[in-house]
Amino acid sequence: MVKHHCRMVFKFKLGFFTDLHGSEYSFKRSLNIAKSKRVDFLIISGGLIAKEILFVEDIGGRYFLNGKKVNLNNLNEDALRSGKYIVVDKKEVIEDIKSDKSKLEKIVIEKASEQMSRWVKIAEEIFRLEKVFWSPAHGDIPQLDSILKNYGSNLINENVINLEEIQIVSLGFGSPIGNSYREIPDSELYIKGKSLLKDADKERLIMNFHMPPLNTKLDNAKVGLRKSHVGSKAVLDLITEFQPIISLHGHVHESTSMDKVGETIAINPGSLYQLGDPSIVTFEVHKELKSFGSVNVSKYVIKNIEFVSTNPLDVI
């Protein structure tokens, strides 16, 4: 019988969070947790931008939202917490913006750009930019990629990157819901995913696909009064086929969980962005060397997975 023993060659720690939808509180708190957990690298996945714009009427220095008088400071604070963009202007300007699709889009681009310039600065202060990877996804405007690039951030969506000895393959497209950016049919998602993965090295592969795999613990959404599986068959098939060491997902905010697809650990940290709360998962990638007599075989394994939703060290 051949004796074998195991020793660790290296390890590093990754943090992953997703679906911030414009919540500044959620973003800062997740970053602080990543720092307190001493992660080496961080992946911030989409949707990054807010889903909603609040139009506030300025009537002689008094402010009204949907006809109700509001305190602008409180409203701004709430918007930073729950992830909304605010436009303050005269009634006729607001009507004009609302009735013109291109003006509305211009506002979204402006607001997203303003927010990302802050977020990238904050990420640089708390970490260093080369340790933070951004992966825009479903719900993010197409212009977001160039906005983030202009601020000097590492963009990894629709790409294969090497990190230490690990490969990360990222794809942000989601299933069609009819009103979102970056949505494609599942059949196309499979083709795009497959072409990104075709040269991947399964032994050291991390998949970062925004859509969760279908019929798992990761894709349970509330539809009306009941829960149903809303994940992607394409993503499930790709994980089954390529068997990465871990796969990272989002999209279904209420489905914070971990599951196995074959040998692959699949994870969805979920999102509590409306509350301004953090949702982040951290884990370690270990490279172990197994010796079988005179033969050494290396293997990458995932250890110490931790889901963190709140933390006493949260500082806003």
Side-chain angles (χ1 to χ4, degrees):
M1 198 171 96
V2 178
K3 277 189 179 170
H4 71 269
H5 65 276
C6 223
R7 62 190 170 89
M8 209 168 70
V9 180
F10 81 83
K11 69 168 185 177
F12 64 90
K13 194 172 193 176
L14 264 165
F16 173 72
F17 57 90
T18 179
D19 295 289
L20 293 161
H21 295 296
S23 168
E24 201 116 341
Y25 278 35
S26 196
F27 174 69
K28 287 180 179 174
R29 295 171 79 183
S30 297
L31 273 183
N32 281 327
I33 289 169
K35 189 175 173 67
S36 74
K37 298 283 174 191
R38 296 199 164 89
V39 308
D40 297 300
F41 301 101
L42 186 60
I43 297 170
I44 303 171
S45 176
L48 293 162
I49 71 168
K51 290 177 162 191
E52 200 182 334
I53 300 176
L54 302 179
F55 289 97
V56 178
E57 264 181 57
D58 179 351
I59 305 175
R62 291 160 75 218
Y63 302 102
F64 294 84
L65 177 64
N66 304 325
K68 283 196 183 124
K69 192 168 186 285
V70 289
N71 176 314
L72 203 54
N73 288 342
N74 293 354
L75 196 66
N76 277 321
E77 200 56 36
D78 180 59
L80 288 173
R81 182 183 294 108
S82 61
K84 295 181 180 78
Y85 296 146
I86 292 180
V87 172
V88 181
D89 222 315
K90 301 276 179 277
K91 185 175 184 164
E92 55 275 17
V93 178
I94 289 173
E95 311 259 290
D96 182 41
I97 293 167
K98 281 181 172 177
S99 64
D100 185 333
K101 213 174 167 191
S102 67
K103 284 182 180 164
L104 200 56
E105 196 167 89
K106 194 165 167 272
I107 293 279
V108 174
I109 293 167
E110 262 169 40
K111 294 286 176 188
S113 184
E114 209 177 277
Q115 186 164 50
M116 290 310 133
S117 80
R118 282 198 308 276
W119 283 16
V120 172
K121 270 195 201 91
I122 294 165
E124 166 71 346
E125 279 162 24
I126 294 182
F127 280 87
R128 291 201 309 280
L129 275 186
E130 65 272 16
K131 292 177 165 245
V132 180
F133 299 93
W134 303 76
S135 187
H138 199 247
D140 289 324
I141 50 171
Q143 295 86 345
L144 194 66
D145 299 46
S146 56
I147 288 169
L148 282 164
K149 264 198 190 120
N150 290 344
Y151 294 127
S153 59
N154 284 324
L155 231 69
I156 61 169
N157 56 316
E158 286 178 74
N159 217 334
V160 181
I161 64 154
N162 289 300
L163 183 61
E164 302 281 329
E165 294 177 24
I166 294 296
Q167 264 187 357
I168 300 175
V169 179
S170 302
L171 191 63
F173 285 101
S175 303
I177 51 174
N179 60 351
S180 184
Y181 308 97
R182 302 179 201 246
E183 53 177 45
I184 52 175
D186 220 34
S187 53
E188 208 179 313
L189 188 64
Y190 180 81
I191 292 162
K192 274 188 191 293
K194 178 114 178 180
S195 83
L196 278 172
L197 287 159
K198 68 180 190 303
D199 301 321
D201 180 353
K202 296 180 188 184
E203 308 300 314
R204 58 190 190 98
L205 172 64
I206 292 177
M207 263 171 77
N208 167 34
F209 278 38
H210 190 64
M211 286 299 289
L214 183 66
N215 292 333
T216 57
K217 292 177 188 166
L218 280 59
D219 76 329
N220 249 320
K222 280 198 184 85
V223 180
L225 291 174
R226 58 196 195 87
K227 286 195 158 186
S228 74
H229 291 286
V230 296
S232 161
K233 172 81 163 62
V235 172
L236 179 70
D237 290 347
L238 289 165
I239 296 172
T240 305
E241 203 172 320
F242 287 90
Q243 290 288 283
I245 50 175
I246 193 167
S247 66
L248 310 173
H249 309 278
H251 188 65
V252 184
H253 304 165
E254 63 269 43
S255 230
T256 303
S257 59
M258 179 165 81
D259 209 344
K260 289 288 283 276
V261 178
E263 290 303 300
T264 298
I265 299 164
I267 279 176
N268 178 2
S271 172
L272 297 166
Y273 82 91
Q274 296 101 320
L275 305 171
D277 284 346
S279 281
I280 175 172
V281 69
T282 64
F283 57 92
E284 289 169 4
V285 180
H286 289 235
K287 182 185 185 181
E288 291 178 345
L289 210 54
K290 281 189 175 167
S291 306
F292 297 88
S294 59
V295 182
N296 286 336
V297 180
S298 64
K299 186 175 169 58
Y300 297 91
V301 290
I302 302 297
K303 292 191 173 175
N304 302 326
I305 297 167
E306 191 182 353
F307 285 78
V308 192
S309 290
T310 49
N311 186 301
L313 294 171
D314 282 357
V315 183
I316 291 175

